[in-house]
Amino acid sequence: GENVEQHPSTLSVQEGDSAVIKCTYSDSASNYFPWYKQELGKGPQLIIDIRSNVGEKKDQRIAVTLNKTAKHFSLHITETQPEDSAVYFCAANGLENKLVFGAGTILRVKS
Amino acid sequence: ETGVTQTPRHLVMGMTNKKSLKCEQHLGHNAMYWYKQSAKKPLELMFVYNFKEQTENNSVPSRFSPECPNSSHLFLHLHTLQPEDSALYLCASSQDGASSYEQYFGPGTRLTVT
């Protein structure tokens, strides 16, 4: 079945800097890759997703890139702000389209 | 708010208790999910209901019993739990469980088993 690995597990950046989180997946049949943001005391919130027919997608300060050949995808956050501090999860659709999640990245933006 | 609500938000129960978690979605979706979130582990899918029919039971112990009376409501009945069952239990919904991937999560129920 699908296996998703996520790195790094924690990431500290200075406010205004960029943050990059990377994920790899194992199932070449996967074609949907969402990213979720989870703030303290809340459930995961879908922030951006990409499908395998595109290589990059951007929404204001966040972007996701996908390399299907290498089976990895990344989340890029530019001009980070303190409110970006949260846990970020990547996922990929596995068998029967069930989402398989990475272990999460704790992002801390220092002001 | 995501349109998915969960109650209670916090629950402390003894190993001999019976309790239920409730989830309700106001998005008109047809698929609902239960996940378990433990510290430093990926989200674990427990159960999937699609159009009120259970389509996935991810080797979950029988002390967890789901119920889906309609497409908007999902319950997780708990009995004789173990301390290692302490976790955040998340409910999610999507348009359907087959071709629609976007899942929307509730805030979760923080469960502590003493």
Side-chain angles (χ1 to χ4, degrees), chain A residues 22-102:
Chain A
K22 299 182 179 181
C23 288
T24 61
Y25 61 98
S26 59
D27 187 351
S28 56
S30 294
N31 59 5
Y32 175 66
F33 309 92
W35 285 90
Y36 286 83
K37 174 184 181 182
Q38 186 173 22
E39 297 174 289
L40 200 62
K42 297 184 179 180
Q45 178 187 5
L46 178 66
I47 56 171
I48 195 168
D49 56 18
I50 191 168
R51 298 178 191 270
S52 61
N53 57 340
V54 296
E56 183 174 357
K57 184 176 177 181
K58 194 172 182 180
D59 183 3
Q60 299 183 342
R61 294 188 298 108
I62 60 172
V64 56
T65 58
L66 171 65
N67 183 329
K68 285 222 76 180
T69 303
K71 288 191 277 192
H72 66 70
F73 56 112
S74 300
L75 178 71
H76 304 254
I77 306 174
T78 59
E79 300 173 26
T80 53
Q81 301 169 5
E83 52 265 38
D84 294 329
S85 296
V87 182
Y88 291 81
F89 295 93
C90 64
N93 61 322
L95 192 64
E96 296 180 344
N97 290 327
K98 302 300 180 288
L99 288 181
V100 178
F101 288 83

